[in-house]
């Protein structure tokens, strides 16, 4: 891939800047002085951009009580205005720009090492699955966190639909590519389109969730409509948005951030308080609801469900 880089590589501001400086400069979360005022400011905003969606009748879906939280849900007015979606800008206030994304028609390609390769429209895909709501923690590598009521279906259901061949070891996922719509994709130093990947064992873990809605409604565009991933035990960058392609492969995919800076962003990216990002600590996180700091939990608190996936892999960089 021919990546033109401004310097040796161009870090997005949120990741290039030491976290405390970034938070202060942006004054969005403002972990130190001024948190209250800033959160109050966010609080005054309306939930963003309700719009007619052909799938609206499917919501709200029943909540699956197996996926509960130890903390308050983060209000929609906060999560809908504090997003990472570099296709629409390398800052958090992309909600408005993301409304340019056209989410119908939306075709999803399923291909590679599987018995049932297909191209399927999002509304046909929704007819083949059972939607449910799950409350998940959401922990960004930048050390902020939220608690989000996602609606969607198990990634394992899509894997079943595809019927992976025995040689398939990984699932590679890709976001749309449309620089005319997504101004961020005109930044040629990024390796567009956004790509992520998981092992098939991770893809079929019960926690791996394909998200189509949030707060009991179809997913708003800034969250990665109409189809994004939620992997709550991993740093948020693994949860790829606005997916158009799922490919089964025997080669470990190189993800967007890994391609940009492999010393800082690896394939596994499991949450671990004891393994710092090369430029900042991961020991604690700032909860978006009130700006409070909390200790980071190993696997973001989901060790019971996922720790077994990594047994015997101690030599791997599991936590970057
Ligand atoms: N997916 C795409 N296509 N583009 C992105 O920039 N950002 C990632 C992830 N998925 C990103 C993406 C990062 S860094 C995070 S933390 C989460 O989306 C943010 O999701 P949220 O905006 O719903 O909180």
């Amino acid at each position: 891939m021919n990546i033109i880089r401004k310097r040796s590589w161009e870090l997005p501001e949120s990741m290039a800047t030491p976290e405390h400086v970034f938070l202060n400069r942006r004054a969005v979360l403002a972990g130190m002085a001024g948190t209250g005022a800033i959160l109050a400011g966010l609080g005054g905003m309306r939930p963003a951009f309700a719009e007619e969606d052909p799938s609206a009748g499917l919501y709200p879906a029943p909540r699956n009580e197996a996926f509960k939280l130890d903390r308050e849900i983060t209000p929609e007015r906060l999560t809908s205005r504090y997003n990472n979606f570099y296709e629409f800008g390398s800052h958090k206030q992309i909600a408005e720009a993301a409304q340019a994304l056209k989410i119908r028609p939306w075709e999803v390609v399923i291909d590679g090492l599987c018995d049932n390769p297909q191209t399927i429209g999002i509304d046909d895909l929704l007819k083949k699955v059972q939607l449910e709501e799950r409350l998940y923690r959401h922990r960004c590598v930048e050390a902020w966190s939220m608690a989000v009521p996602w609606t969607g279906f198990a990634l394992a259901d899509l894997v079943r639909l595809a019927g992976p061949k025995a040689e398939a070891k990984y699932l590679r996922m890709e976001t749309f590519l449309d620089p005319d719509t997504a101004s961020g994709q005109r930044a040629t130093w990024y390796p567009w389109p956004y790509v992520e990947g998981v092992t098939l064992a991770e893809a079929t873990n019960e926690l791996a969730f394909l998200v189509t809605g949030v707060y009991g409604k179809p997913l708003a565009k800034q969250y990665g409509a109409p189809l994004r991933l939620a992997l709550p035990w991993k740093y948020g960058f693994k949860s790829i948005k606005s997916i158009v392609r799922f490919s089964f492969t025997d080669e470990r995919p190189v993800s967007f951030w890994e391609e940009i800076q492999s010393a800082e962003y690896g394939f596994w990216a499991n949450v671990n308080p004891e393994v710092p990002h090369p430029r900042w600590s991961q020991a604690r996180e700032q909860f978006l609801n009130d700006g409070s700091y909390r200790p980071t939990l190993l696997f973001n608190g989901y060790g019971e469900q996922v720790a077994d996936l990594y047994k015997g892999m101690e030599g791997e960089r599991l936590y970057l």
Side-chain angles (χ1 to χ4, degrees):
M1 196 175 309
N2 183 21
I3 306 165
I4 302 162
R5 292 183 173 139
K6 277 184 174 168
R7 284 176 249 123
S8 59
W9 85 287
E10 183 73 9
L11 274 166
E13 183 186 9
S14 58
M15 296 193 178
T17 312
E19 184 201 355
H20 65 283
V21 179
F22 169 70
L23 291 176
N24 270 347
R25 189 196 306 154
R26 279 270 177 232
V28 171
L29 266 183
M32 301 114 204
T35 303
I38 285 145
L39 290 175
L42 280 170
M45 291 176 174
R46 282 180 300 118
F49 316 110
E51 189 179 296
E52 263 319 299
D53 184 300
S55 67
L58 300 174
Y59 302 87
R63 181 173 292 177
N64 184 337
E65 297 293 343
F67 302 93
K68 290 206 194 102
L69 282 177
D70 58 349
R71 54 195 73 181
E72 297 268 299
I73 292 174
T74 308
E76 182 181 7
R77 66 178 188 277
L78 301 182
T79 65
S80 64
R81 298 281 185 168
Y82 191 79
N83 304 98
N84 276 337
F85 202 172
Y86 280 76
E87 283 80 348
F88 295 99
S90 56
H91 52 84
K92 298 286 180 289
Q93 286 74 45
I94 53 73
E96 205 146 335
Q99 304 316 302
L101 181 61
K102 213 168 162 287
I103 57 170
R104 293 295 188 287
W106 190 274
E107 307 244 285
V108 176
V109 175
I110 301 173
D111 65 3
L113 299 171
C114 62
D115 292 333
N116 308 309
Q118 56 194 284
T119 299
I120 185 166
I122 183 69
D123 295 302
D124 289 330
L125 179 59
L126 286 171
K127 284 182 198 141
K128 291 180 187 280
V129 294
Q130 198 62 46
L131 294 185
E132 63 182 37
E133 185 180 68
R134 300 182 180 187
L135 307 185
Y136 272 3
R137 298 182 203 114
H138 176 36
R139 167 61 158 83
C140 180
V141 73
E142 296 163 345
W144 51 262
S145 65
M146 305 175 177
V148 189
W150 301 119
T151 301
F153 57 97
L155 178 56
D157 292 346
L158 183 130
V159 171
R160 253 192 303 278
L161 206 67
K165 292 188 185 298
E167 315 89 84
K169 300 278 178 290
Y170 299 94
L171 181 59
R172 179 185 184 278
M173 291 154 282
E174 204 175 281
T175 295
F176 72 89
L177 182 62
D178 181 5
D180 289 340
T181 302
S183 58
Q185 290 184 334
R186 289 174 224 150
T188 50
W189 55 90
Y190 289 119
W192 307 112
Y194 200 100
V195 166
E196 260 307 338
V198 290
T199 64
L200 276 201
E202 290 176 323
T204 51
N205 181 274
E206 60 172 336
L207 285 177
F209 199 49
L210 275 174
V211 171
T212 60
V214 69
Y215 298 99
K217 296 174 288 193
L219 204 57
K221 295 177 184 182
Q222 61 270 36
Y223 297 100
L227 187 66
R228 60 98 43 98
L229 190 60
L231 299 172
W233 73 98
K234 292 180 179 282
Y235 292 116
F237 67 87
K238 296 291 295 183
S239 291
I240 180 173
K241 296 182 169 185
S242 302
I243 304 169
V244 294
R245 186 168 189 175
F246 295 86
S247 305
F248 293 86
T249 168
D250 55 2
E251 269 180 45
R252 186 153 116 178
V254 178
S255 69
F256 181 80
W257 290 111
E258 193 181 3
E259 166 112 30
I260 294 169
Q261 182 53 292
S262 63
E264 302 197 346
Y265 307 102
F267 173 77
W268 300 101
N270 296 311
V271 175
N272 188 334
E274 287 174 16
V275 179
H277 182 280
R279 286 175 291 120
W280 60 80
S281 165
Q282 296 291 19
R284 58 183 196 156
E285 63 202 47
Q286 197 174 22
F287 193 42
L288 194 66
N289 295 38
D290 55 7
S292 63
Y293 286 98
R294 300 170 175 229
T296 298
L297 304 172
L298 180 62
F299 295 115
N300 204 18
Y302 294 99
E304 202 179 309
Q305 291 95 328
V306 299
D308 280 356
L309 290 172
Y310 308 104
K311 287 258 164 71
M313 295 174 61
E314 285 72 24
E316 293 272 336
R317 293 163 75 221
L318 290 172
Y319 304 104
L320 259 196

